Amino acid sequence: MTDFRYLIVGGGMVADAAARGVRELDADGSIGILSEDVDRPYARPALSKKLWTEPDFSWDEKVDLHTEETGATFVLGAAVTAIDRAAKTVTTADGSTYGYERLLLATGGKPRGLPGLEPSDRVLDYRSADDYRKLRALADAGAHVVVVGGGYIGQEISAGVVQNGARVTLVDPDEVVGGRMFPDGLARAFQQRFVDHGVDLRLGRRVASGTQTAEGVTLTLDDGSVLEADAVVAGLGIEPATQLAADAGLTVRDGIVVSSTLLTDDDSVFAAGDVAEYPDRILGTRRVEHVDNAQQQGRQAGRNLADADETYDHTPMFYSDVFDMGYEAVGQVSTQLRTLEDWQEPNVTGVVYYLDEDDTVRGVLLWNVWDKTDEARKVLAGADALTPDLLRGRITA
């Protein structure tokens, strides 16, 4: 059995940030990182962003996080199957056992798959660097890529691949690309960029079934139409990987339930990142699947592993760049809420506020408005005192 003072299950950006957080307080304590991935921690957003849009974007300099700088020991390709909280050990699929003094669960999420299609060299969940390498090889050869799901990842992958010369079809259950997030006028302007770049849009459609061979993938949509593809990317979101924690007797709801210090029911076990359900000081209990949260929450978890006992009080932002458009956002950005639009130039530069039934701001979208996320947080923190008429002109580019 190998023992570590600090053991991290999961090898993503949370693991990197946590290892660095530990080192801020403990220069010498042993750190182990058990990861199902075959690569050391890397900047995951690059997989759907700059690796496609910036030819000189370097993996070694910009994507690899160089977590080895922390002195952590990596065990890659290791799936943890059980936690023994009494013995303070975890067991991996190959039967290896690792002991810990403090444990961090950063298990992320498992992608939702497509009916009848197992992940392969041509059917990609698109969660890993290995998925990027497979898709890149096909796209560079001029493949026809079908992207299923018009959400955050689906939008970015469609834009990135089509800008690299491959043919792209986007299958989106929504009637307008971005229609779940953006007000109608903005969503239609956003969708038009995909049309202008040659993306074939199949809107209001879902995949009913699929088959694959070594040469390609066939998808049948719910209207009976058939798509032949060289590769399929499933951008259908994730399910938080909570089973390991649940089997260990930890409280799980939407995610692994943690306190404001990211502690679970067990005072030796923490959780952070996509998998953690935590109390946000502004927005209440939530679980967040974005990079800002991974970095900030991971760092705080690492510090708390090393006995800092500090509250995680950061309300994370998220962002996206698609073609010549970009945005940053804080909070709940969904057209299930009422929207108030404050444009400096319609559908080009401005702010969209998302209000609940009591006209309380729950989310702020900054469209081509940069470096104003702190101002957006202030709006959310003071939302109870802000009537809709006080919002216009409050945040400007």
Side-chain angles (χ1 to χ4, degrees), residues 187-229:
R188 292 185 185 280
F190 181 70
Q191 175 176 286
Q192 188 60 43
R193 297 295 205 286
F194 290 83
V195 175
D196 294 343
H197 283 82
V199 177
D200 177 17
L201 300 178
R202 303 297 180 95
L203 302 176
R205 299 272 67 89
R206 299 177 185 272
V207 173
S209 63
T211 59
Q212 62 177 310
T213 68
E215 288 72 41
V217 185
T218 301
L219 299 179
T220 301
L221 306 187
D222 56 2
D223 63 352
S225 61
V226 176
L227 296 173
E228 301 287 348

mmCIF file of all heavy atoms in Angstrom, residues 187-229:
data_model
loop_
_atom_site.group_PDB
_atom_site.id
_atom_site.type_symbol
_atom_site.label_atom_id
_atom_site.label_comp_id
_atom_site.label_asym_id
_atom_site.label_seq_id
_atom_site.Cartn_x
_atom_site.Cartn_y
_atom_site.Cartn_z
ATOM 1 N N ALA A 187 -30.215 35.223 -29.709
ATOM 2 C CA ALA A 187 -30.031 33.831 -30.126
ATOM 3 C C ALA A 187 -30.055 33.712 -31.645
ATOM 4 O O ALA A 187 -29.250 32.964 -32.236
ATOM 5 C CB ALA A 187 -31.099 32.946 -29.494
ATOM 6 N N ARG A 188 -30.942 34.437 -32.295
ATOM 7 C CA ARG A 188 -31.019 34.343 -33.761
ATOM 8 C C ARG A 188 -29.797 34.975 -34.419
ATOM 9 O O ARG A 188 -29.297 34.469 -35.441
ATOM 10 C CB ARG A 188 -32.318 34.970 -34.256
ATOM 11 C CG ARG A 188 -33.532 34.156 -33.833
ATOM 12 C CD ARG A 188 -34.845 34.657 -34.395
ATOM 13 N NE ARG A 188 -35.949 33.872 -33.842
ATOM 14 C CZ ARG A 188 -36.309 32.668 -34.282
ATOM 15 N NH1 ARG A 188 -35.650 32.118 -35.297
ATOM 16 N NH2 ARG A 188 -37.314 32.022 -33.725
ATOM 17 N N ALA A 189 -29.281 36.062 -33.866
ATOM 18 C CA ALA A 189 -28.046 36.655 -34.389
ATOM 19 C C ALA A 189 -26.874 35.703 -34.176
ATOM 20 O O ALA A 189 -26.001 35.557 -35.040
ATOM 21 C CB ALA A 189 -27.787 37.996 -33.707
ATOM 22 N N PHE A 190 -26.867 35.046 -33.025
ATOM 23 C CA PHE A 190 -25.833 34.061 -32.703
ATOM 24 C C PHE A 190 -25.908 32.885 -33.678
ATOM 25 O O PHE A 190 -24.898 32.462 -34.254
ATOM 26 C CB PHE A 190 -26.064 33.602 -31.263
ATOM 27 C CG PHE A 190 -25.078 32.606 -30.723
ATOM 28 C CD1 PHE A 190 -23.771 32.964 -30.460
ATOM 29 C CD2 PHE A 190 -25.476 31.303 -30.438
ATOM 30 C CE1 PHE A 190 -22.863 32.049 -29.936
ATOM 31 C CE2 PHE A 190 -24.584 30.390 -29.901
ATOM 32 C CZ PHE A 190 -23.269 30.761 -29.660
ATOM 33 N N GLN A 191 -27.103 32.375 -33.893
ATOM 34 C CA GLN A 191 -27.296 31.254 -34.810
ATOM 35 C C GLN A 191 -26.832 31.602 -36.215
ATOM 36 O O GLN A 191 -26.255 30.754 -36.918
ATOM 37 C CB GLN A 191 -28.773 30.866 -34.830
ATOM 38 C CG GLN A 191 -29.127 29.793 -35.842
ATOM 39 C CD GLN A 191 -30.575 29.385 -35.739
ATOM 40 O OE1 GLN A 191 -30.959 28.698 -34.814
ATOM 41 N NE2 GLN A 191 -31.378 29.822 -36.698
ATOM 42 N N GLN A 192 -27.058 32.837 -36.647
ATOM 43 C CA GLN A 192 -26.702 33.225 -38.010
ATOM 44 C C GLN A 192 -25.212 33.085 -38.272
ATOM 45 O O GLN A 192 -24.803 32.785 -39.396
ATOM 46 C CB GLN A 192 -27.152 34.671 -38.283
ATOM 47 C CG GLN A 192 -26.999 35.094 -39.732
ATOM 48 C CD GLN A 192 -27.809 34.225 -40.692
ATOM 49 O OE1 GLN A 192 -28.968 33.896 -40.405
ATOM 50 N NE2 GLN A 192 -27.209 33.842 -41.826
ATOM 51 N N ARG A 193 -24.384 33.252 -37.239
ATOM 52 C CA ARG A 193 -22.933 33.088 -37.427
ATOM 53 C C ARG A 193 -22.603 31.655 -37.840
ATOM 54 O O ARG A 193 -21.698 31.429 -38.642
ATOM 55 C CB ARG A 193 -22.177 33.426 -36.139
ATOM 56 C CG ARG A 193 -22.309 34.853 -35.685
ATOM 57 C CD ARG A 193 -21.684 35.839 -36.668
ATOM 58 N NE ARG A 193 -21.290 37.074 -36.006
ATOM 59 C CZ ARG A 193 -22.093 38.023 -35.595
ATOM 60 N NH1 ARG A 193 -23.403 37.866 -35.754
ATOM 61 N NH2 ARG A 193 -21.632 39.113 -35.020
ATOM 62 N N PHE A 194 -23.330 30.684 -37.292
ATOM 63 C CA PHE A 194 -23.107 29.294 -37.665
ATOM 64 C C PHE A 194 -23.503 29.071 -39.128
ATOM 65 O O PHE A 194 -22.782 28.411 -39.881
ATOM 66 C CB PHE A 194 -23.910 28.361 -36.751
ATOM 67 C CG PHE A 194 -23.402 28.310 -35.341
ATOM 68 C CD1 PHE A 194 -23.771 29.271 -34.405
ATOM 69 C CD2 PHE A 194 -22.533 27.307 -34.939
ATOM 70 C CE1 PHE A 194 -23.286 29.229 -33.107
ATOM 71 C CE2 PHE A 194 -22.046 27.253 -33.647
ATOM 72 C CZ PHE A 194 -22.429 28.219 -32.731
ATOM 73 N N VAL A 195 -24.635 29.637 -39.525
ATOM 74 C CA VAL A 195 -25.074 29.537 -40.913
ATOM 75 C C VAL A 195 -24.052 30.180 -41.842
ATOM 76 O O VAL A 195 -23.669 29.607 -42.876
ATOM 77 C CB VAL A 195 -26.462 30.194 -41.087
ATOM 78 C CG1 VAL A 195 -26.870 30.202 -42.560
ATOM 79 C CG2 VAL A 195 -27.510 29.479 -40.243
ATOM 80 N N ASP A 196 -23.572 31.366 -41.465
ATOM 81 C CA ASP A 196 -22.612 32.092 -42.298
ATOM 82 C C ASP A 196 -21.312 31.309 -42.497
ATOM 83 O O ASP A 196 -20.647 31.459 -43.536
ATOM 84 C CB ASP A 196 -22.278 33.450 -41.676
ATOM 85 C CG ASP A 196 -23.463 34.398 -41.661
ATOM 86 O OD1 ASP A 196 -24.436 34.147 -42.403
ATOM 87 O OD2 ASP A 196 -23.422 35.385 -40.891
ATOM 88 N N HIS A 197 -20.959 30.489 -41.524
ATOM 89 C CA HIS A 197 -19.721 29.707 -41.617
ATOM 90 C C HIS A 197 -19.939 28.309 -42.189
ATOM 91 O O HIS A 197 -19.016 27.489 -42.210
ATOM 92 C CB HIS A 197 -19.056 29.608 -40.239
ATOM 93 C CG HIS A 197 -18.332 30.850 -39.842
ATOM 94 N ND1 HIS A 197 -18.971 31.935 -39.283
ATOM 95 C CD2 HIS A 197 -17.014 31.197 -39.939
ATOM 96 C CE1 HIS A 197 -18.082 32.881 -39.030
ATOM 97 N NE2 HIS A 197 -16.898 32.465 -39.433
ATOM 98 N N GLY A 198 -21.154 28.026 -42.641
ATOM 99 C CA GLY A 198 -21.400 26.783 -43.348
ATOM 100 C C GLY A 198 -21.798 25.597 -42.498
ATOM 101 O O GLY A 198 -21.820 24.466 -42.993
ATOM 102 N N VAL A 199 -22.132 25.822 -41.224
ATOM 103 C CA VAL A 199 -22.597 24.717 -40.388
ATOM 104 C C VAL A 199 -24.018 24.341 -40.810
ATOM 105 O O VAL A 199 -24.899 25.201 -40.922
ATOM 106 C CB VAL A 199 -22.571 25.102 -38.894
ATOM 107 C CG1 VAL A 199 -23.135 23.974 -38.036
ATOM 108 C CG2 VAL A 199 -21.149 25.444 -38.460
ATOM 109 N N ASP A 200 -24.235 23.058 -41.058
ATOM 110 C CA ASP A 200 -25.558 22.543 -41.401
ATOM 111 C C ASP A 200 -26.332 22.338 -40.098
ATOM 112 O O ASP A 200 -25.952 21.511 -39.271
ATOM 113 C CB ASP A 200 -25.399 21.219 -42.151
ATOM 114 C CG ASP A 200 -26.734 20.558 -42.480
ATOM 115 O OD1 ASP A 200 -27.771 21.240 -42.419
ATOM 116 O OD2 ASP A 200 -26.725 19.348 -42.801
ATOM 117 N N LEU A 201 -27.393 23.090 -39.917
ATOM 118 C CA LEU A 201 -28.160 23.041 -38.673
ATOM 119 C C LEU A 201 -29.367 22.125 -38.816
ATOM 120 O O LEU A 201 -30.180 22.288 -39.733
ATOM 121 C CB LEU A 201 -28.623 24.442 -38.281
ATOM 122 C CG LEU A 201 -27.521 25.478 -38.031
ATOM 123 C CD1 LEU A 201 -28.147 26.834 -37.710
ATOM 124 C CD2 LEU A 201 -26.597 25.035 -36.896
ATOM 125 N N ARG A 202 -29.491 21.168 -37.903
ATOM 126 C CA ARG A 202 -30.691 20.325 -37.813
ATOM 127 C C ARG A 202 -31.345 20.653 -36.477
ATOM 128 O O ARG A 202 -31.010 20.084 -35.442
ATOM 129 C CB ARG A 202 -30.310 18.849 -37.892
ATOM 130 C CG ARG A 202 -29.530 18.476 -39.159
ATOM 131 C CD ARG A 202 -30.337 18.700 -40.432
ATOM 132 N NE ARG A 202 -29.571 18.346 -41.619
ATOM 133 C CZ ARG A 202 -29.636 17.158 -42.227
ATOM 134 N NH1 ARG A 202 -30.419 16.209 -41.724
ATOM 135 N NH2 ARG A 202 -28.919 16.927 -43.299
ATOM 136 N N LEU A 203 -32.279 21.605 -36.523
ATOM 137 C CA LEU A 203 -32.854 22.162 -35.306
ATOM 138 C C LEU A 203 -34.152 21.466 -34.926
ATOM 139 O O LEU A 203 -34.895 20.977 -35.785
ATOM 140 C CB LEU A 203 -33.083 23.656 -35.498
ATOM 141 C CG LEU A 203 -31.819 24.462 -35.843
ATOM 142 C CD1 LEU A 203 -32.159 25.917 -36.122
ATOM 143 C CD2 LEU A 203 -30.784 24.358 -34.736
ATOM 144 N N GLY A 204 -34.423 21.443 -33.628
ATOM 145 C CA GLY A 204 -35.607 20.771 -33.131
ATOM 146 C C GLY A 204 -35.542 19.266 -33.311
ATOM 147 O O GLY A 204 -36.570 18.589 -33.328
ATOM 148 N N ARG A 205 -34.337 18.745 -33.410
ATOM 149 C CA ARG A 205 -34.151 17.325 -33.706
ATOM 150 C C ARG A 205 -33.301 16.654 -32.628
ATOM 151 O O ARG A 205 -32.431 17.263 -32.019
ATOM 152 C CB ARG A 205 -33.457 17.128 -35.058
ATOM 153 C CG ARG A 205 -34.203 17.671 -36.254
ATOM 154 C CD ARG A 205 -35.182 16.641 -36.827
ATOM 155 N NE ARG A 205 -36.302 16.328 -35.959
ATOM 156 C CZ ARG A 205 -37.460 16.980 -35.945
ATOM 157 N NH1 ARG A 205 -37.645 18.023 -36.735
ATOM 158 N NH2 ARG A 205 -38.424 16.597 -35.148
ATOM 159 N N ARG A 206 -33.554 15.367 -32.427
ATOM 160 C CA ARG A 206 -32.775 14.530 -31.514
ATOM 161 C C ARG A 206 -32.329 13.269 -32.249
ATOM 162 O O ARG A 206 -32.937 12.890 -33.252
ATOM 163 C CB ARG A 206 -33.603 14.146 -30.279
ATOM 164 C CG ARG A 206 -34.069 15.328 -29.448
ATOM 165 C CD ARG A 206 -34.950 14.884 -28.287
ATOM 166 N NE ARG A 206 -35.478 16.022 -27.562
ATOM 167 C CZ ARG A 206 -34.860 16.636 -26.555
ATOM 168 N NH1 ARG A 206 -33.670 16.189 -26.159
ATOM 169 N NH2 ARG A 206 -35.418 17.648 -25.933
ATOM 170 N N VAL A 207 -31.299 12.626 -31.729
ATOM 171 C CA VAL A 207 -30.840 11.359 -32.287
ATOM 172 C C VAL A 207 -31.717 10.241 -31.739
ATOM 173 O O VAL A 207 -31.843 10.072 -30.520
ATOM 174 C CB VAL A 207 -29.360 11.102 -31.943
ATOM 175 C CG1 VAL A 207 -28.941 9.697 -32.376
ATOM 176 C CG2 VAL A 207 -28.470 12.153 -32.609
ATOM 177 N N ALA A 208 -32.327 9.472 -32.628
ATOM 178 C CA ALA A 208 -33.163 8.340 -32.221
ATOM 179 C C ALA A 208 -32.338 7.071 -32.074
ATOM 180 O O ALA A 208 -32.581 6.261 -31.178
ATOM 181 C CB ALA A 208 -34.279 8.124 -33.241
ATOM 182 N N SER A 209 -31.362 6.883 -32.980
ATOM 183 C CA SER A 209 -30.523 5.689 -32.923
ATOM 184 C C SER A 209 -29.257 5.928 -33.718
ATOM 185 O O SER A 209 -29.146 6.898 -34.472
ATOM 186 C CB SER A 209 -31.272 4.467 -33.487
ATOM 187 O OG SER A 209 -31.570 4.657 -34.861
ATOM 188 N N GLY A 210 -28.294 5.023 -33.538
ATOM 189 C CA GLY A 210 -27.048 5.157 -34.270
ATOM 190 C C GLY A 210 -26.318 3.841 -34.360
ATOM 191 O O GLY A 210 -26.492 2.949 -33.518
ATOM 192 N N THR A 211 -25.501 3.726 -35.396
ATOM 193 C CA THR A 211 -24.623 2.567 -35.559
ATOM 194 C C THR A 211 -23.262 3.067 -35.996
ATOM 195 O O THR A 211 -23.141 4.153 -36.573
ATOM 196 C CB THR A 211 -25.166 1.582 -36.610
ATOM 197 O OG1 THR A 211 -25.286 2.253 -37.873
ATOM 198 C CG2 THR A 211 -26.515 1.014 -36.194
ATOM 199 N N GLN A 212 -22.224 2.274 -35.722
ATOM 200 C CA GLN A 212 -20.882 2.669 -36.147
ATOM 201 C C GLN A 212 -20.115 1.464 -36.651
ATOM 202 O O GLN A 212 -20.348 0.322 -36.242
ATOM 203 C CB GLN A 212 -20.133 3.340 -35.002
ATOM 204 C CG GLN A 212 -19.884 2.484 -33.786
ATOM 205 C CD GLN A 212 -19.069 3.204 -32.733
ATOM 206 O OE1 GLN A 212 -18.015 3.783 -33.037
ATOM 207 N NE2 GLN A 212 -19.546 3.197 -31.482
ATOM 208 N N THR A 213 -19.196 1.762 -37.577
ATOM 209 C CA THR A 213 -18.248 0.777 -38.080
ATOM 210 C C THR A 213 -16.859 1.401 -37.988
ATOM 211 O O THR A 213 -16.705 2.543 -37.541
ATOM 212 C CB THR A 213 -18.555 0.407 -39.543
ATOM 213 O OG1 THR A 213 -18.291 1.556 -40.369
ATOM 214 C CG2 THR A 213 -19.997 -0.031 -39.714
ATOM 215 N N ALA A 214 -15.871 0.682 -38.442
ATOM 216 C CA ALA A 214 -14.512 1.224 -38.448
ATOM 217 C C ALA A 214 -14.377 2.388 -39.419
ATOM 218 O O ALA A 214 -13.465 3.211 -39.297
ATOM 219 C CB ALA A 214 -13.506 0.128 -38.811
ATOM 220 N N GLU A 215 -15.308 2.488 -40.381
ATOM 221 C CA GLU A 215 -15.215 3.526 -41.408
ATOM 222 C C GLU A 215 -16.067 4.757 -41.117
ATOM 223 O O GLU A 215 -15.856 5.821 -41.709
ATOM 224 C CB GLU A 215 -15.637 2.961 -42.773
ATOM 225 C CG GLU A 215 -14.633 2.004 -43.397
ATOM 226 C CD GLU A 215 -14.583 0.662 -42.688
ATOM 227 O OE1 GLU A 215 -15.674 0.154 -42.317
ATOM 228 O OE2 GLU A 215 -13.468 0.149 -42.473
ATOM 229 N N GLY A 216 -17.066 4.654 -40.251
ATOM 230 C CA GLY A 216 -17.911 5.807 -40.033
ATOM 231 C C GLY A 216 -19.067 5.524 -39.097
ATOM 232 O O GLY A 216 -19.199 4.420 -38.538
ATOM 233 N N VAL A 217 -19.935 6.539 -38.938
ATOM 234 C CA VAL A 217 -21.062 6.476 -38.014
ATOM 235 C C VAL A 217 -22.327 6.890 -38.760
ATOM 236 O O VAL A 217 -22.305 7.856 -39.542
ATOM 237 C CB VAL A 217 -20.844 7.414 -36.805
ATOM 238 C CG1 VAL A 217 -21.970 7.242 -35.789
ATOM 239 C CG2 VAL A 217 -19.486 7.172 -36.162
ATOM 240 N N THR A 218 -23.406 6.166 -38.510
ATOM 241 C CA THR A 218 -24.703 6.510 -39.087
ATOM 242 C C THR A 218 -25.658 6.875 -37.962
ATOM 243 O O THR A 218 -25.822 6.112 -37.003
ATOM 244 C CB THR A 218 -25.284 5.325 -39.893
ATOM 245 O OG1 THR A 218 -24.376 4.978 -40.939
ATOM 246 C CG2 THR A 218 -26.641 5.694 -40.490
ATOM 247 N N LEU A 219 -26.265 8.058 -38.082
ATOM 248 C CA LEU A 219 -27.248 8.509 -37.099
ATOM 249 C C LEU A 219 -28.611 8.627 -37.752
ATOM 250 O O LEU A 219 -28.741 9.162 -38.861
ATOM 251 C CB LEU A 219 -26.862 9.884 -36.539
ATOM 252 C CG LEU A 219 -25.543 10.018 -35.789
ATOM 253 C CD1 LEU A 219 -25.354 11.463 -35.343
ATOM 254 C CD2 LEU A 219 -25.481 9.077 -34.605
ATOM 255 N N THR A 220 -29.626 8.142 -37.067
ATOM 256 C CA THR A 220 -31.007 8.359 -37.490
ATOM 257 C C THR A 220 -31.648 9.320 -36.515
ATOM 258 O O THR A 220 -31.640 9.092 -35.300
ATOM 259 C CB THR A 220 -31.792 7.038 -37.516
ATOM 260 O OG1 THR A 220 -31.144 6.131 -38.412
ATOM 261 C CG2 THR A 220 -33.218 7.274 -37.982
ATOM 262 N N LEU A 221 -32.190 10.420 -37.036
ATOM 263 C CA LEU A 221 -32.816 11.424 -36.189
ATOM 264 C C LEU A 221 -34.282 11.104 -35.960
ATOM 265 O O LEU A 221 -34.848 10.203 -36.606
ATOM 266 C CB LEU A 221 -32.664 12.809 -36.825
ATOM 267 C CG LEU A 221 -31.236 13.237 -37.177
ATOM 268 C CD1 LEU A 221 -31.217 14.688 -37.635
ATOM 269 C CD2 LEU A 221 -30.282 13.026 -36.015
ATOM 270 N N ASP A 222 -34.893 11.832 -35.041
ATOM 271 C CA ASP A 222 -36.269 11.502 -34.660
ATOM 272 C C ASP A 222 -37.295 11.857 -35.724
ATOM 273 O O ASP A 222 -38.470 11.503 -35.595
ATOM 274 C CB ASP A 222 -36.628 12.148 -33.313
ATOM 275 C CG ASP A 222 -36.433 13.652 -33.296
ATOM 276 O OD1 ASP A 222 -36.053 14.226 -34.347
ATOM 277 O OD2 ASP A 222 -36.637 14.269 -32.231
ATOM 278 N N ASP A 223 -36.876 12.528 -36.804
ATOM 279 C CA ASP A 223 -37.786 12.770 -37.926
ATOM 280 C C ASP A 223 -37.564 11.764 -39.050
ATOM 281 O O ASP A 223 -38.143 11.884 -40.133
ATOM 282 C CB ASP A 223 -37.619 14.197 -38.455
ATOM 283 C CG ASP A 223 -36.224 14.455 -39.021
ATOM 284 O OD1 ASP A 223 -35.339 13.577 -38.862
ATOM 285 O OD2 ASP A 223 -36.012 15.531 -39.605
ATOM 286 N N GLY A 224 -36.702 10.753 -38.799
ATOM 287 C CA GLY A 224 -36.432 9.712 -39.787
ATOM 288 C C GLY A 224 -35.276 10.022 -40.711
ATOM 289 O O GLY A 224 -34.850 9.142 -41.471
ATOM 290 N N SER A 225 -34.750 11.229 -40.692
ATOM 291 C CA SER A 225 -33.622 11.564 -41.553
ATOM 292 C C SER A 225 -32.364 10.864 -41.064
ATOM 293 O O SER A 225 -32.222 10.532 -39.880
ATOM 294 C CB SER A 225 -33.408 13.084 -41.607
ATOM 295 O OG SER A 225 -33.131 13.600 -40.321
ATOM 296 N N VAL A 226 -31.428 10.631 -41.989
ATOM 297 C CA VAL A 226 -30.212 9.880 -41.700
ATOM 298 C C VAL A 226 -28.993 10.728 -42.008
ATOM 299 O O VAL A 226 -28.932 11.406 -43.044
ATOM 300 C CB VAL A 226 -30.168 8.574 -42.524
ATOM 301 C CG1 VAL A 226 -28.851 7.837 -42.306
ATOM 302 C CG2 VAL A 226 -31.346 7.674 -42.158
ATOM 303 N N LEU A 227 -28.018 10.704 -41.095
ATOM 304 C CA LEU A 227 -26.761 11.405 -41.284
ATOM 305 C C LEU A 227 -25.624 10.404 -41.290
ATOM 306 O O LEU A 227 -25.529 9.554 -40.401
ATOM 307 C CB LEU A 227 -26.539 12.423 -40.150
ATOM 308 C CG LEU A 227 -27.525 13.575 -40.038
ATOM 309 C CD1 LEU A 227 -27.252 14.377 -38.759
ATOM 310 C CD2 LEU A 227 -27.439 14.478 -41.260
ATOM 311 N N GLU A 228 -24.762 10.513 -42.318
ATOM 312 C CA GLU A 228 -23.548 9.693 -42.385
ATOM 313 C C GLU A 228 -22.382 10.583 -41.986
ATOM 314 O O GLU A 228 -22.184 11.654 -42.556
ATOM 315 C CB GLU A 228 -23.347 9.154 -43.801
ATOM 316 C CG GLU A 228 -24.493 8.304 -44.317
ATOM 317 C CD GLU A 228 -24.553 6.928 -43.659
ATOM 318 O OE1 GLU A 228 -23.568 6.553 -42.970
ATOM 319 O OE2 GLU A 228 -25.578 6.233 -43.816
ATOM 320 N N ALA A 229 -21.609 10.145 -41.005
ATOM 321 C CA ALA A 229 -20.536 10.979 -40.467
ATOM 322 C C ALA A 229 -19.235 10.201 -40.353
ATOM 323 O O ALA A 229 -19.240 8.967 -40.204
ATOM 324 C CB ALA A 229 -20.930 11.521 -39.090
#
